[in-house]
mmCIF file of all heavy atoms in Angstrom:
data_model
loop_
_atom_site.group_PDB
_atom_site.id
_atom_site.type_symbol
_atom_site.label_atom_id
_atom_site.label_comp_id
_atom_site.label_asym_id
_atom_site.label_seq_id
_atom_site.Cartn_x
_atom_site.Cartn_y
_atom_site.Cartn_z
ATOM 1 N N MET B 168 106.351 93.268 140.835
ATOM 2 C CA MET B 168 106.096 92.998 139.384
ATOM 3 C C MET B 168 107.214 92.156 138.936
ATOM 4 O O MET B 168 108.301 92.163 139.402
ATOM 5 C CB MET B 168 106.421 94.329 138.659
ATOM 6 C CG MET B 168 105.091 95.200 138.771
ATOM 7 S SD MET B 168 105.235 96.649 137.566
ATOM 8 C CE MET B 168 106.818 97.185 137.814
ATOM 9 N N VAL B 169 106.862 91.233 138.045
ATOM 10 C CA VAL B 169 107.767 90.387 137.473
ATOM 11 C C VAL B 169 107.932 90.599 135.990
ATOM 12 O O VAL B 169 106.930 90.804 135.267
ATOM 13 C CB VAL B 169 107.604 88.866 137.676
ATOM 14 C CG1 VAL B 169 108.424 87.968 136.939
ATOM 15 C CG2 VAL B 169 107.421 88.510 139.122
ATOM 16 N N LEU B 170 109.170 90.853 135.512
ATOM 17 C CA LEU B 170 109.540 91.157 134.130
ATOM 18 C C LEU B 170 109.785 89.967 133.330
ATOM 19 O O LEU B 170 110.567 89.108 133.831
ATOM 20 C CB LEU B 170 110.646 92.232 134.018
ATOM 21 C CG LEU B 170 110.450 93.458 134.795
ATOM 22 C CD1 LEU B 170 111.781 94.370 134.479
ATOM 23 C CD2 LEU B 170 109.199 94.214 134.475
ATOM 24 N N ILE B 171 109.268 89.810 132.158
ATOM 25 C CA ILE B 171 109.757 88.663 131.189
ATOM 26 C C ILE B 171 110.301 89.480 130.011
ATOM 27 O O ILE B 171 109.747 90.235 129.353
ATOM 28 C CB ILE B 171 108.584 87.760 130.824
ATOM 29 C CG1 ILE B 171 107.955 87.131 132.002
ATOM 30 C CG2 ILE B 171 108.999 86.690 129.882
ATOM 31 C CD1 ILE B 171 106.917 86.239 131.683
ATOM 32 N N ARG B 172 111.585 89.049 129.759
ATOM 33 C CA ARG B 172 112.264 89.686 128.560
ATOM 34 C C ARG B 172 112.276 88.797 127.379
ATOM 35 O O ARG B 172 112.564 87.541 127.480
ATOM 36 C CB ARG B 172 113.551 90.129 128.976
ATOM 37 C CG ARG B 172 114.463 90.925 127.992
ATOM 38 C CD ARG B 172 115.418 90.112 127.149
ATOM 39 N NE ARG B 172 116.136 91.000 126.368
ATOM 40 C CZ ARG B 172 117.324 90.647 125.707
ATOM 41 N NH1 ARG B 172 117.768 89.418 125.921
ATOM 42 N NH2 ARG B 172 117.930 91.531 125.053
ATOM 43 N N THR B 173 111.998 89.394 126.247
ATOM 44 C CA THR B 173 112.110 88.528 124.948
ATOM 45 C C THR B 173 112.954 89.288 123.931
ATOM 46 O O THR B 173 113.187 90.431 124.093
ATOM 47 C CB THR B 173 110.758 88.198 124.401
ATOM 48 O OG1 THR B 173 110.112 89.534 124.173
ATOM 49 C CG2 THR B 173 109.898 87.378 125.318
ATOM 50 N N THR B 174 113.206 88.593 122.880
ATOM 51 C CA THR B 174 113.664 89.260 121.627
ATOM 52 C C THR B 174 112.822 88.809 120.520
ATOM 53 O O THR B 174 112.045 87.833 120.621
ATOM 54 C CB THR B 174 115.189 88.900 121.422
ATOM 55 O OG1 THR B 174 115.207 87.492 121.286
ATOM 56 C CG2 THR B 174 116.099 89.335 122.379
ATOM 57 N N THR B 175 112.972 89.516 119.361
ATOM 58 C CA THR B 175 112.040 89.270 118.250
ATOM 59 C C THR B 175 111.938 87.760 117.864
ATOM 60 O O THR B 175 110.853 87.294 117.659
ATOM 61 C CB THR B 175 112.570 90.106 117.007
ATOM 62 O OG1 THR B 175 112.620 91.515 117.488
ATOM 63 C CG2 THR B 175 111.659 89.840 115.775
ATOM 64 N N ARG B 176 113.013 87.048 117.912
ATOM 65 C CA ARG B 176 113.119 85.708 117.451
ATOM 66 C C ARG B 176 112.447 84.807 118.574
ATOM 67 O O ARG B 176 112.196 83.605 118.221
ATOM 68 C CB ARG B 176 114.519 85.289 117.212
ATOM 69 C CG ARG B 176 115.183 85.964 115.959
ATOM 70 C CD ARG B 176 114.270 85.813 114.658
ATOM 71 N NE ARG B 176 115.075 86.561 113.672
ATOM 72 C CZ ARG B 176 114.505 86.501 112.315
ATOM 73 N NH1 ARG B 176 113.449 85.909 112.070
ATOM 74 N NH2 ARG B 176 115.119 87.269 111.459
ATOM 75 N N VAL B 177 112.172 85.241 119.730
ATOM 76 C CA VAL B 177 111.390 84.527 120.565
ATOM 77 C C VAL B 177 109.765 84.758 120.445
ATOM 78 O O VAL B 177 108.944 83.962 120.243
ATOM 79 C CB VAL B 177 111.789 84.677 122.000
ATOM 80 C CG1 VAL B 177 110.854 83.972 123.096
ATOM 81 C CG2 VAL B 177 113.191 84.113 122.160
ATOM 82 N N ASN B 178 109.552 86.090 120.418
ATOM 83 C CA ASN B 178 108.045 86.568 120.179
ATOM 84 C C ASN B 178 107.552 85.957 118.925
ATOM 85 O O ASN B 178 106.417 85.516 118.938
ATOM 86 C CB ASN B 178 107.923 88.072 120.108
ATOM 87 C CG ASN B 178 108.460 88.768 121.417
ATOM 88 O OD1 ASN B 178 109.564 89.109 121.635
ATOM 89 N ND2 ASN B 178 107.388 88.935 122.304
ATOM 90 N N HIS B 179 108.352 85.930 117.891
ATOM 91 C CA HIS B 179 107.821 85.429 116.674
ATOM 92 C C HIS B 179 108.281 84.042 116.253
ATOM 93 O O HIS B 179 108.522 83.729 115.073
ATOM 94 C CB HIS B 179 108.294 86.524 115.548
ATOM 95 C CG HIS B 179 107.542 87.765 115.702
ATOM 96 N ND1 HIS B 179 107.857 88.851 114.946
ATOM 97 C CD2 HIS B 179 106.490 88.144 116.311
ATOM 98 C CE1 HIS B 179 106.939 89.889 115.220
ATOM 99 N NE2 HIS B 179 106.145 89.446 116.131
ATOM 100 N N GLN B 180 108.462 83.217 117.227
ATOM 101 C CA GLN B 180 108.680 81.755 117.051
ATOM 102 C C GLN B 180 107.358 81.049 117.399
ATOM 103 O O GLN B 180 106.629 81.333 118.335
ATOM 104 C CB GLN B 180 109.828 81.418 118.063
ATOM 105 C CG GLN B 180 110.380 80.113 118.018
ATOM 106 C CD GLN B 180 111.295 79.731 119.024
ATOM 107 O OE1 GLN B 180 111.393 78.540 119.492
ATOM 108 N NE2 GLN B 180 112.101 80.611 119.512
ATOM 109 N N SER B 181 107.209 80.013 116.540
ATOM 110 C CA SER B 181 106.001 79.161 116.860
ATOM 111 C C SER B 181 106.449 77.789 117.140
ATOM 112 O O SER B 181 107.549 77.305 116.720
ATOM 113 C CB SER B 181 105.011 79.186 115.698
ATOM 114 O OG SER B 181 104.498 80.213 115.313
ATOM 115 N N GLY B 182 105.743 77.144 118.047
ATOM 116 C CA GLY B 182 106.158 75.722 118.296
ATOM 117 C C GLY B 182 104.969 75.015 119.221
ATOM 118 O O GLY B 182 103.927 75.556 119.196
ATOM 119 N N ILE B 183 105.394 73.845 119.566
ATOM 120 C CA ILE B 183 104.293 73.104 120.358
ATOM 121 C C ILE B 183 104.327 73.528 121.787
ATOM 122 O O ILE B 183 105.292 73.608 122.475
ATOM 123 C CB ILE B 183 104.660 71.549 120.180
ATOM 124 C CG1 ILE B 183 104.716 71.165 118.796
ATOM 125 C CG2 ILE B 183 103.533 70.757 121.018
ATOM 126 C CD1 ILE B 183 103.446 71.249 117.976
ATOM 127 N N VAL B 184 103.110 73.804 122.174
ATOM 128 C CA VAL B 184 102.891 74.187 123.629
ATOM 129 C C VAL B 184 101.901 73.258 124.264
ATOM 130 O O VAL B 184 100.832 72.951 123.623
ATOM 131 C CB VAL B 184 102.412 75.711 123.671
ATOM 132 C CG1 VAL B 184 102.018 76.003 125.203
ATOM 133 C CG2 VAL B 184 103.395 76.618 123.115
ATOM 134 N N ARG B 185 102.230 72.718 125.452
ATOM 135 C CA ARG B 185 101.177 71.924 126.102
ATOM 136 C C ARG B 185 100.181 72.782 126.868
ATOM 137 O O ARG B 185 100.648 73.542 127.774
ATOM 138 C CB ARG B 185 101.984 70.965 127.094
ATOM 139 C CG ARG B 185 101.172 69.999 127.770
ATOM 140 C CD ARG B 185 100.763 68.867 126.921
ATOM 141 N NE ARG B 185 99.582 68.066 127.538
ATOM 142 C CZ ARG B 185 98.924 67.223 126.842
ATOM 143 N NH1 ARG B 185 99.192 67.027 125.602
ATOM 144 N NH2 ARG B 185 97.944 66.640 127.400
ATOM 145 N N LEU B 186 98.994 72.702 126.420
ATOM 146 C CA LEU B 186 97.966 73.497 127.168
ATOM 147 C C LEU B 186 97.702 73.065 128.501
ATOM 148 O O LEU B 186 97.487 71.914 128.744
ATOM 149 C CB LEU B 186 96.726 73.637 126.254
ATOM 150 C CG LEU B 186 96.846 74.040 124.798
ATOM 151 C CD1 LEU B 186 95.499 73.956 124.141
ATOM 152 C CD2 LEU B 186 97.508 75.422 124.663
ATOM 153 N N GLY B 187 97.662 74.021 129.421
ATOM 154 C CA GLY B 187 97.317 73.615 130.768
ATOM 155 C C GLY B 187 95.831 73.742 131.104
ATOM 156 O O GLY B 187 95.068 74.214 130.186
ATOM 157 N N PRO B 188 95.335 73.527 132.344
ATOM 158 C CA PRO B 188 93.906 73.620 132.767
ATOM 159 C C PRO B 188 93.531 75.101 132.727
ATOM 160 O O PRO B 188 94.184 75.943 133.124
ATOM 161 C CB PRO B 188 93.909 72.974 134.064
ATOM 162 C CG PRO B 188 95.213 72.988 134.626
ATOM 163 C CD PRO B 188 96.196 72.986 133.546
ATOM 164 N N MET B 189 92.369 75.427 132.006
ATOM 165 C CA MET B 189 91.786 76.687 132.048
ATOM 166 C C MET B 189 90.831 76.834 133.149
ATOM 167 O O MET B 189 89.622 76.470 132.922
ATOM 168 C CB MET B 189 91.227 76.959 130.573
ATOM 169 C CG MET B 189 90.655 78.197 130.401
ATOM 170 S SD MET B 189 91.816 79.523 130.196
ATOM 171 C CE MET B 189 92.082 79.498 128.405
ATOM 172 N N GLU B 190 91.329 77.299 134.326
ATOM 173 C CA GLU B 190 90.200 77.455 135.337
ATOM 174 C C GLU B 190 90.059 78.867 135.729
ATOM 175 O O GLU B 190 91.015 79.449 136.315
ATOM 176 C CB GLU B 190 90.801 76.713 136.598
ATOM 177 C CG GLU B 190 90.503 75.107 136.445
ATOM 178 C CD GLU B 190 91.527 74.341 137.307
ATOM 179 O OE1 GLU B 190 92.203 74.888 138.067
ATOM 180 O OE2 GLU B 190 91.535 73.126 137.067
ATOM 181 N N ARG B 191 89.019 79.497 135.409
ATOM 182 C CA ARG B 191 88.725 80.974 135.522
ATOM 183 C C ARG B 191 87.800 81.161 136.691
ATOM 184 O O ARG B 191 87.010 80.352 137.057
ATOM 185 C CB ARG B 191 88.147 81.586 134.374
ATOM 186 C CG ARG B 191 88.911 81.315 132.944
ATOM 187 C CD ARG B 191 90.045 82.365 132.705
ATOM 188 N NE ARG B 191 89.603 83.678 132.771
ATOM 189 C CZ ARG B 191 90.472 84.762 132.922
ATOM 190 N NH1 ARG B 191 91.796 84.395 133.014
ATOM 191 N NH2 ARG B 191 90.119 85.901 133.080
ATOM 192 N N THR B 192 88.129 82.146 137.566
ATOM 193 C CA THR B 192 87.047 82.581 138.563
ATOM 194 C C THR B 192 86.233 83.696 138.053
ATOM 195 O O THR B 192 86.721 84.527 137.234
ATOM 196 C CB THR B 192 87.794 82.892 139.814
ATOM 197 O OG1 THR B 192 88.624 84.086 139.534
ATOM 198 C CG2 THR B 192 88.675 81.838 140.270
ATOM 199 N N PRO B 193 85.079 83.929 138.645
ATOM 200 C CA PRO B 193 84.260 85.164 138.144
ATOM 201 C C PRO B 193 84.926 86.314 138.536
ATOM 202 O O PRO B 193 85.701 86.500 139.600
ATOM 203 C CB PRO B 193 82.977 84.956 138.971
ATOM 204 C CG PRO B 193 83.037 83.502 139.699
ATOM 205 C CD PRO B 193 84.367 83.021 139.531
ATOM 206 N N PHE B 194 84.682 87.392 137.769
ATOM 207 C CA PHE B 194 85.108 88.812 138.062
ATOM 208 C C PHE B 194 84.287 89.375 139.252
ATOM 209 O O PHE B 194 83.101 89.753 139.088
ATOM 210 C CB PHE B 194 85.048 89.595 136.909
ATOM 211 C CG PHE B 194 85.795 90.908 136.885
ATOM 212 C CD1 PHE B 194 87.205 90.885 136.240
ATOM 213 C CD2 PHE B 194 85.431 92.036 137.686
ATOM 214 C CE1 PHE B 194 87.807 92.152 136.357
ATOM 215 C CE2 PHE B 194 86.218 93.190 137.727
ATOM 216 C CZ PHE B 194 87.443 93.264 137.083
ATOM 217 N N GLU B 195 84.840 89.565 140.373
ATOM 218 C CA GLU B 195 84.233 90.119 141.618
ATOM 219 C C GLU B 195 85.088 91.270 142.070
ATOM 220 O O GLU B 195 86.212 91.042 142.526
ATOM 221 C CB GLU B 195 83.897 89.067 142.589
ATOM 222 C CG GLU B 195 82.669 88.331 142.196
ATOM 223 C CD GLU B 195 82.461 87.059 143.155
ATOM 224 O OE1 GLU B 195 83.262 86.901 144.031
ATOM 225 O OE2 GLU B 195 81.690 86.185 142.714
ATOM 226 N N ARG B 196 84.415 92.531 142.107
ATOM 227 C CA ARG B 196 85.139 93.597 142.579
ATOM 228 C C ARG B 196 85.605 93.358 144.114
ATOM 229 O O ARG B 196 84.867 92.633 144.934
ATOM 230 C CB ARG B 196 84.291 94.864 142.597
ATOM 231 C CG ARG B 196 84.160 95.467 141.221
ATOM 232 C CD ARG B 196 83.171 96.671 141.283
ATOM 233 N NE ARG B 196 82.978 97.103 139.936
ATOM 234 C CZ ARG B 196 83.734 98.004 139.312
ATOM 235 N NH1 ARG B 196 84.779 98.491 140.037
ATOM 236 N NH2 ARG B 196 83.504 98.334 138.140
ATOM 237 N N ILE B 197 86.717 94.034 144.472
ATOM 238 C CA ILE B 197 87.284 93.749 145.900
ATOM 239 C C ILE B 197 87.209 95.039 146.547
ATOM 240 O O ILE B 197 87.313 96.165 146.079
ATOM 241 C CB ILE B 197 88.744 93.513 145.663
ATOM 242 C CG1 ILE B 197 89.012 92.095 144.868
ATOM 243 C CG2 ILE B 197 89.469 93.352 146.931
ATOM 244 C CD1 ILE B 197 90.342 91.834 144.393
ATOM 245 N N SER B 198 86.865 94.988 147.903
ATOM 246 C CA SER B 198 86.726 96.200 148.704
ATOM 247 C C SER B 198 88.077 96.749 148.983
ATOM 248 O O SER B 198 88.810 96.072 149.593
ATOM 249 C CB SER B 198 85.984 95.914 150.007
ATOM 250 O OG SER B 198 86.271 96.831 150.956
ATOM 251 N N TRP B 199 88.139 97.881 148.660
ATOM 252 C CA TRP B 199 89.481 98.685 148.937
ATOM 253 C C TRP B 199 89.641 99.022 150.493
ATOM 254 O O TRP B 199 90.633 98.826 150.990
ATOM 255 C CB TRP B 199 89.626 100.004 148.028
ATOM 256 C CG TRP B 199 90.892 100.824 148.452
ATOM 257 C CD1 TRP B 199 90.879 102.012 148.932
ATOM 258 C CD2 TRP B 199 92.159 100.387 148.110
ATOM 259 N NE1 TRP B 199 92.148 102.504 149.034
ATOM 260 C CE2 TRP B 199 93.072 101.439 148.663
ATOM 261 C CE3 TRP B 199 92.803 99.316 147.743
ATOM 262 C CZ2 TRP B 199 94.404 101.533 148.602
ATOM 263 C CZ3 TRP B 199 94.204 99.240 147.600
ATOM 264 C CH2 TRP B 199 94.977 100.280 148.077
#
Side-chain angles (χ1 to χ4, degrees):
Chain B
M168 281 188 314
V169 175
L170 310 180
I171 300 180
R172 187 262 187 166
T173 54
T174 55
T175 302
R176 297 299 180 178
V177 174
N178 293 91
H179 290 167
Q180 186 184 144
S181 298
I183 303 294
V184 175
R185 184 75 197 165
L186 305 181
M189 179 75 89
E190 284 154 10
R191 308 273 309 164
T192 61
F194 192 102
E195 279 165 11
R196 284 175 184 275
I197 297 166
S198 159
W199 176 243

